[in-house]
Amino acid sequence: MMPAPRLEVDLDKIYHNARTLVERLASRGILVTGVTKATLGSAEIAAVLLRAGVNALGDSRIENIEAMRLAQVPAVMKLIRSPMLSQVKRVVMHADVSFNTEIAIIRKLSLEAQKLHRTHGVILMIELGDLREGIMPNDLVNIIGETLSLPNIEFKGIGTNLACRSGVSPDARNMAVLSQLAASIERTFSLTLDIVSGGNSANLQWALSGEDTGRINDLRLGESILLGRETVHRQAIEGLHTDAITLIAEVIESKVKPSKPTGNIAQTAFGEAPPVTDRGSIMQTILAIGQQDTDPRGLKSPVGTEILGASSDHLILETGSDDRSVGSEMTFQLNYSALVRAMTSPFVTKKMKLQRTL
Ligand SMILES: *Cc1c(COP(=O)(O)O)cnc(C)c1O
């Protein structure tokens, strides 16, 4: 018997998704940085992304980059979250490039890079409205000036990140601002920017709309490759697989029970509302998976079944007339939140499947 719960990762489908996006964006002059943070630095998935033609790998955690280095994944590695001051040495040792917004951190990167006799690439992130990380555009000239003066630091380019915190959509207007900033930085400092990184999976609609993509020559893609969806409206992307990764859990109880609890009702384990309507008796199935393994609200159960609730270790479903015997398994589709938690849970086995020889 296979261990449960488990994530099944279809590497052929991930290859297809990555390859398709790499090709579509290439026709717009845009390279892809494959983002691995939702895979916990899986060397197998990283290898598939590289074979599909991504130009570099990006991860927000130095631990994941270290894991991929240890597994000898041959790629340019970018740390796409600002380094912690307390991790700067590890960042210089293992990442080729990091995204930065604070000069104090860039100064420390320079000091550590000098000690280690290495050069570290810096991409400066710019705030364009989503209010997560980013330098305010008015402060750019000062920070770039000092970055250029620091030994063992190579100023590689600029980038921005939209959609993640406030849901601000990448569009012709904010992307044009990024292109204009790129041009004005090049004029002011008489240099050429290697990388102008326009954003993440939320940028795909804009990038593939046929509109002018200006100076943007890089997008950092994670969710769209793994789950086959753009992230502005979470629509499936035409021609991509949305089921490359599935979550499988095992039935530990299956009984006909009342739909409405009995007794004085107070709080549930996770503060959610208990069921209140009486729909008579239902077929209730319990799976051995819960909040410790995934985000139950991000799961989609098989047709004809419905998720009723979850606690730390139990997922409760109504399974209609289907007989879900103890020991049988059920397969779920995941959203990004459910995926990230399942990937990082030590209780969830990761099973990589590869049919075709890539
Ligand atoms: C997570 C992340 C990405 C990738 O986002 P997706 O929506 O998964 O494509 C890109 N850039 C940064 C800075 C990120 O943190």
Side-chain angles (χ1 to χ4, degrees):
M1 287 239 286
M2 284 220 257
R6 68 180 178 277
L7 281 168
E8 289 193 354
V9 181
D10 186 324
L11 294 173
D12 298 301
K13 288 183 177 173
I14 289 180
Y15 174 86
H16 170 85
N17 286 356
R19 181 83 209 155
T20 305
L21 291 170
V22 163
E23 281 171 359
R24 287 181 191 172
L25 288 168
S27 73
R28 314 290 302 150
I30 295 174
L31 297 170
V32 173
T33 295
V35 174
T36 50
K37 69 185 183 217
T39 76
L40 203 57
S42 156
E44 284 142 302
I45 295 177
V48 166
L49 298 183
L50 290 168
R51 223 166 315 172
V54 306
N55 184 52
L57 297 176
D59 203 298
S60 47
R61 310 267 170 165
I62 193 63
E63 293 82 355
N64 290 345
I65 289 177
E66 287 168 350
M68 291 188 286
R69 286 282 191 228
L70 199 63
Q72 302 191 315
V73 173
V76 170
M77 304 264 184
K78 300 174 182 169
L79 183 70
I80 62 173
R81 183 175 72 181
S82 183
M84 291 183 230
L85 264 185
S86 58
Q87 291 187 330
V88 159
K89 185 173 176 190
R90 292 165 71 178
V91 172
V92 170
M93 279 179 69
H94 300 288
D96 302 293
V97 174
S98 61
F99 285 16
N100 285 273
T101 62
E102 292 286 352
I103 195 66
I105 295 174
I106 305 170
R107 286 181 195 136
K108 185 95 187 289
L109 286 166
S110 169
L111 285 176
E112 291 296 339
Q114 290 172 67
K115 281 192 216 157
L116 293 164
H117 305 288
R118 297 177 75 108
T119 304
H120 186 74
V122 163
I123 291 181
L124 295 177
M125 294 296 276
I126 303 174
E127 171 60 55
L128 289 182
D130 199 54
L131 304 182
R132 202 179 72 177
E133 76 276 34
I135 299 161
M136 297 304 284
N138 283 341
D139 299 333
L140 264 176
V141 166
N142 278 340
I143 293 194
I144 293 171
E146 182 167 351
T147 300
L148 287 169
S149 76
L150 290 170
N152 298 54
I153 292 293
E154 192 179 353
F155 175 43
K156 301 283 280 183
I158 59 172
T160 196
N161 195 72
L162 297 172
C164 286
R165 183 201 159 184
S166 310
V168 171
S169 296
D171 58 22
R173 198 200 57 80
N174 48 38
M175 287 298 106
V177 171
L178 190 62
S179 283
Q180 284 153 17
L181 285 169
S184 95
I185 288 164
E186 291 183 339
R187 276 196 310 275
T188 307
F189 294 97
S190 308
L191 50 75
T192 307
L193 294 173
D194 240 13
I195 299 170
V196 182
S197 188
N200 52 48
S201 295
N203 285 64
L204 282 170
Q205 277 180 329
W206 161 81
L208 299 172
S209 67
E211 269 185 81
D212 181 18
T213 46
R215 289 292 313 274
I216 281 84
N217 63 7
D218 173 81
L219 286 182
R220 312 172 304 268
L221 303 182
E223 181 169 349
S224 51
I225 293 175
L226 299 173
L227 298 179
R229 292 178 188 276
E230 54 80 32
T231 55
V232 176
H233 304 292
R234 292 264 153 32
Q235 296 297 308
I237 300 170
E238 203 205 317
L240 264 57
H241 299 289
T242 57
D243 60 350
I245 307 178
T246 53
L247 181 63
I248 288 133
E250 184 177 322
V251 174
I252 53 171
E253 182 184 300
S254 196
K255 295 184 192 305
V256 176
K257 288 197 182 183
S259 53
K260 189 170 184 246
T262 33
N264 292 319
I265 308 242
Q267 278 193 7
T268 64
F270 284 83
E272 281 163 13
V276 284
T277 51
D278 190 351
R279 296 177 289 119
S281 289
I282 58 168
M283 177 57 83
Q284 180 184 289
T285 298
I286 301 181
L287 297 166
I289 189 169
Q291 302 272 3
Q292 293 203 72
D293 310 283
T294 189
D295 177 2
R297 271 171 307 186
L299 297 179
K300 205 169 131 229
S301 64
V303 181
T305 71
E306 191 192 340
I307 295 171
L308 299 178
S311 53
S312 314
D313 314 291
H314 296 82
L315 184 72
I316 297 115
L317 283 89
E318 180 175 354
T319 45
S321 53
D322 288 15
D323 178 27
R324 304 279 175 175
S325 54
V326 169
S328 67
E329 294 185 333
M330 288 179 69
T331 301
F332 297 82
Q333 304 269 83
L334 313 91
N335 73 7
Y336 193 69
S337 165
L339 172 65
V340 169
R341 269 164 70 178
M343 272 286 179
T344 50
S345 170
F347 301 107
V348 179
T349 302
K350 288 85 193 173
K351 176 144 181 33
M352 306 285 166
K353 298 194 298 179
L354 184 65
Q355 255 113 52
R356 263 190 315 127
T357 321
L358 294 175

